[in-house]
Amino acid sequence: MARSLAVEDLAIVAPRREGALDVVHDVSFTLTAGRVLALVGASGSGKSATCLGMQDALPPGLRRTGGRVLVDRRAVPLAGLRGRTVATVLQNPRTAFNPILTMRRHGREVVEPAGRKGADADTAITEAFHEVGLADPAQVLDLYPFQMSGGMLQRAMIALALLADAPFLIADEPTTDLDLLSQGRILDLLEGLVVRRGIGVLLVTHDMSVVARLADDVAVMHRGRIVERNGVEGVFASARHAATRALLAAHHALYSGESMEASS
Ligand SMILES: Nc1ncnc2c1ncn2[C@@H]1O[C@H](COP(=O)(O)OP(=O)(O)O)[C@@H](O)[C@H]1O
Ligand SMILES: [Mg+2]
C-alpha cells in the first residue's frame, strides 16, 4: 500500500471576464500513511478547490494551471487518483449519492471493478457497513439515500471509501452539516480508520476543535495560499499568522461560551 502522497505547487484559477482570479496558489503538502493533516482556513480560502483540483475533478468555473502529485515519490496522473488511491468524503453526503440507487448498488459500483461480484460483493459491502457502525447492515443495504439521515449517509460514504480500499482519504468538512452527536461519532470513526488501517487523511475543516481532536499536522490556508504549517500542538501554542489566530479566536469564543452555559 502507498505510504505517501505529495501535492506539489497546485495552482487553480477562476477565469473571469475581468481577468483570472487566483483561487489556489502554489499549494504543496504531503499526506503520510497513518497521519492526519488538517487543512484549515476561512470559508472561500480555497480548501475545497484544493481537494478537487488535486484529483483533476474541478467544477466548471475553475481551472488547474499547475501542480503535480507524487505517490511514493513517483509522479502520477491526477485524474487516475480518484477511487483506487484517494477516497473522498464530502460535506453534504446527500449530493454524493445517486437518489435512485440503494446502498447495495452503490457498494457494488465500488467493488465490481475490482472483480468482486454477487455474494462475494455483498459480503464485502456488509462488512464495510458494519465497520462504520451502521447498526443493521443487511437492512441498510436495501435503503435509498432519502430513507437515511445525514449521519447515516456520512457513515455510508465512509463505508464506500473503505470498500475502495484506498490508502488515502480526503474528508472535506465531513462533520459540518451534522448534529453534535453525529459529529463526534464520525470523528471517532475516522480516528479508528487511521489507527486500524493506517490510511493517510487530508481533513478539511474550519473548526479548530475538530483539528484538536484528530489532526497530527496542520496547514492553514488564506486566500489560496498556505500561510502557516505546524504540528497540532504548535498551532495551538503559538499561532503566527493572523488567519490562524482568527480561527483560534472563533474556537475559543465558542468554547468559553459553552463553559459559561455549563456553569450557569
Ligand atoms: N465553480 C466555481 N466557479 C468559480 N469560482 C469558484 C467555484 N468554486 C469556488 N470558487 C471560488 O474559489 C474560491 C475558493 O473556494 P473554495 O475552494 O470552495 O473555498 P473553501 O472550500 O475554502 O470554502 C472562492 O473565492 C470561490 O468563490
Ligand atoms: Mg469548502
Side-chain angles (χ1 to χ4, degrees):
M1 205 154 99
R3 305 282 309 165
S4 75
L5 184 154
V7 171
E8 289 186 352
D9 302 326
L10 184 65
I12 298 167
V13 300
R16 301 193 174 171
R17 216 176 320 163
E18 59 278 16
L21 175 81
D22 260 355
V23 168
V24 170
H25 194 90
D26 286 347
V27 161
S28 303
F29 56 84
T30 301
L31 304 182
T32 309
R35 289 183 77 83
V36 177
L37 171 66
L39 185 63
V40 302
S43 176
S45 57
K47 306 181 298 295
S48 294
T50 298
C51 294
L52 296 170
M54 63 178 276
Q55 307 180 64
D56 256 351
L58 288 168
L62 293 178
R63 192 162 58 84
R64 186 169 67 85
T65 53
R68 58 180 199 153
V69 171
L70 295 92
V71 174
D72 286 344
R73 297 170 187 237
R74 202 170 308 157
V76 296
L78 277 62
L81 287 172
R82 199 156 223 188
R84 294 285 118 204
T85 308
V86 176
T88 311
V89 173
L90 301 169
Q91 176 173 353
N92 182 348
R94 226 164 271 284
T95 61
F97 287 90
N98 184 331
I100 62 164
L101 297 184
T102 61
M103 291 299 121
R104 186 188 314 278
R105 287 285 301 281
H106 280 97
R108 286 194 173 175
E109 287 190 357
V110 178
V111 296
E112 283 180 354
R116 305 191 70 168
K117 303 231 154 71
D120 184 26
D122 277 5
T123 305
I125 297 165
T126 308
E127 277 171 14
F129 276 71
H130 183 73
E131 185 168 348
V132 299
L134 282 167
D136 183 358
Q139 189 230 321
V140 171
L141 293 189
D142 291 318
L143 297 181
Y144 291 89
F146 77 88
Q147 296 173 303
M148 297 166 65
S149 69
M152 284 174 88
L153 285 173
Q154 199 59 292
R155 281 160 185 261
M157 190 144 51
I158 295 172
L160 295 179
L162 291 178
L163 278 173
D165 215 12
F168 301 100
L169 176 73
I170 295 177
D172 189 357
E173 309 259 12
T175 59
T176 302
D177 287 351
L178 302 179
D179 60 75
L180 272 178
L181 188 64
S182 306
Q183 283 184 18
R185 288 185 181 146
I186 293 293
L187 295 178
D188 285 345
L189 178 58
L190 290 174
E191 189 170 29
L193 297 179
V194 175
V195 172
R196 281 200 309 281
R197 295 201 174 210
I199 58 174
V201 177
L202 180 66
L203 175 69
V204 174
T205 182
H206 60 267
D207 183 344
M208 293 306 282
S209 56
V210 171
V211 172
R213 174 93 176 263
L214 226 53
D216 298 299
D217 305 298
V218 182
V220 182
M221 258 186 114
H222 177 65
R223 296 188 180 167
R225 294 166 196 264
I226 291 181
V227 293
E228 177 157 0
R229 346 169 162 253
N230 209 332
V232 66
E233 284 90 7
V235 164
F236 279 90
S238 57
R240 292 183 295 269
H241 196 277
T244 316
R245 289 199 293 267
L247 291 167
L248 285 169
H251 166 67
H252 288 133
L254 191 65
Y255 183 74
S256 59
E258 269 173 15
S259 57
M260 268 186 317
E261 265 169 43
S263 62
S264 64

